[in-house]
Amino acid sequence: MFRGDDDDDFTQGSSSKLASLFGIGKSSQEGNTSLTYTAPKQPKKGRAESQSVKGQAVGQSSSQTAPSSAKLSIIAVKAVHTYKLADGNYIAQGKLGAAVLGNAASQTYQLLLYKGKQQHVTSARISSAFQFVVQANNYATFYDDQMQNWSVMFESSDDAVEFAKEVGLARVNAVADQTDHKLVVQDLLSGVGSAAGEGDVVDVCYIAYPLTAGMLGQEVANTTKSEKPQRAKLRKGSWEEGLLGVAKGCKRMIMLPPFLVVRF
């Protein structure tokens, strides 16, 4: 329904090629701390108006983009088919790169759609309230800093899950005061059927990890190999609150604040 012609700059399974546009020779998952991305500086007063217009044409927000002094490193990068909402319809924009960028020191994180190192299509500042809505068939939607709605389709379920996971971690790490964490949920795969509400009982399997210095540690519990899933009654004020809204088959990342952490 949304699928359009691929842009010639991208080919099937080209995650590593996308990263090379930024001058990176290995996966961002391996921790390339030397690679950085610096948001364009705002034009000085008195510059031609055309320069300001050009800055907004590639999706740079004058009020919400990362400060020019904050150098953002690549955290994750994937190839996506992109669609922009216009007049109630999603219009194909071709095949682009999607990246999660971040600076842990300044708690600055950004989702970027780009066609090349110097051609950034649009960007969205990632905060704890940022909404990255996953949908069926490897689709996801979000609003950029200009409040333009975008739909992206990943080339595989694994790509969709990995990218959504990094968006979820960025949402938590974007909190300036790490003692002020609230419960944050990020769906990785959408479910089917009716959504569970308060008081409902659901069967779940989970893997638990500690979150240390903004990164996931070694797993401390894993029930995915158990013959019987764990039964949980959904209620607020407990870790089960993170299951509100799940549907059958949903895969969700739940990031718990310290006061909701339980012993697994």
Side-chain angles (χ1 to χ4, degrees), residues 16-246:
S16 60
K17 294 182 181 179
L18 297 180
S20 70
L21 291 174
F22 285 90
I24 178 173
K26 60 181 180 179
S27 168
S28 61
Q29 298 296 326
E30 296 175 11
N32 189 342
T33 56
S34 63
L35 176 67
T36 58
Y37 161 81
T38 303
K41 294 181 179 180
Q42 295 298 321
K44 294 181 179 180
K45 292 182 178 180
R47 291 280 182 90
E49 183 180 356
S50 60
Q51 289 184 321
S52 176
V53 173
K54 182 179 179 181
Q56 295 197 14
V58 295
Q60 298 298 332
S61 166
S62 60
S63 60
Q64 298 184 24
T65 50
S68 59
S69 60
K71 293 185 177 181
L72 307 181
S73 299
I74 292 179
I75 297 173
V77 59
K78 300 294 180 184
V80 292
H81 302 267
T82 59
Y83 310 87
K84 183 166 65 173
L85 185 64
D87 298 325
N89 296 306
Y90 280 104
I91 309 301
Q93 304 297 304
K95 200 171 184 181
L96 302 175
V100 175
L101 310 172
N103 182 308
S106 63
Q107 289 90 36
T108 303
Y109 294 88
Q110 186 180 71
L111 192 162
L112 176 71
L113 294 183
Y114 66 94
K115 192 173 183 179
K117 188 174 181 179
Q118 300 298 327
Q119 191 172 352
H120 302 158
V121 177
T122 193
S123 62
R125 182 75 175 266
I126 299 177
S127 68
S128 60
F130 180 68
Q131 296 295 308
F132 186 75
V133 182
V134 302
Q135 299 172 325
N137 301 318
N138 304 329
Y139 281 95
T141 62
F142 69 93
Y143 283 90
D144 64 16
D145 289 337
Q146 310 297 330
M147 294 307 296
Q148 170 67 58
N149 184 261
W150 291 82
S151 176
V152 296
M153 186 189 74
F154 295 89
E155 297 193 317
S156 71
S157 176
D158 287 343
D159 281 357
V161 169
E162 290 172 12
F163 197 85
K165 175 183 172 183
E166 295 301 342
V167 170
L169 285 173
R171 290 176 56 201
V172 170
N173 294 332
V175 178
D177 184 354
Q178 294 299 306
T179 64
D180 191 35
H181 273 315
K182 296 180 174 63
L183 186 146
V184 175
V185 299
Q186 176 61 58
D187 283 348
L188 308 181
L189 285 177
S190 62
V192 296
S194 58
E198 189 170 3
D200 289 341
V201 176
V202 298
D203 291 334
V204 297
C205 296
Y206 62 80
I207 304 176
Y209 304 89
L211 184 63
T212 305
M215 300 179 65
L216 295 180
Q218 296 293 321
E219 68 178 53
V220 296
N222 188 335
T223 69
T224 60
K225 298 180 181 179
S226 175
E227 293 184 1
K228 292 184 178 180
Q230 178 173 324
R231 184 153 290 186
K233 185 174 183 179
L234 277 55
R235 58 191 178 90
K236 294 184 178 181
S238 68
W239 76 269
E240 289 92 344
E241 181 177 343
L243 296 172
L244 290 172
V246 296

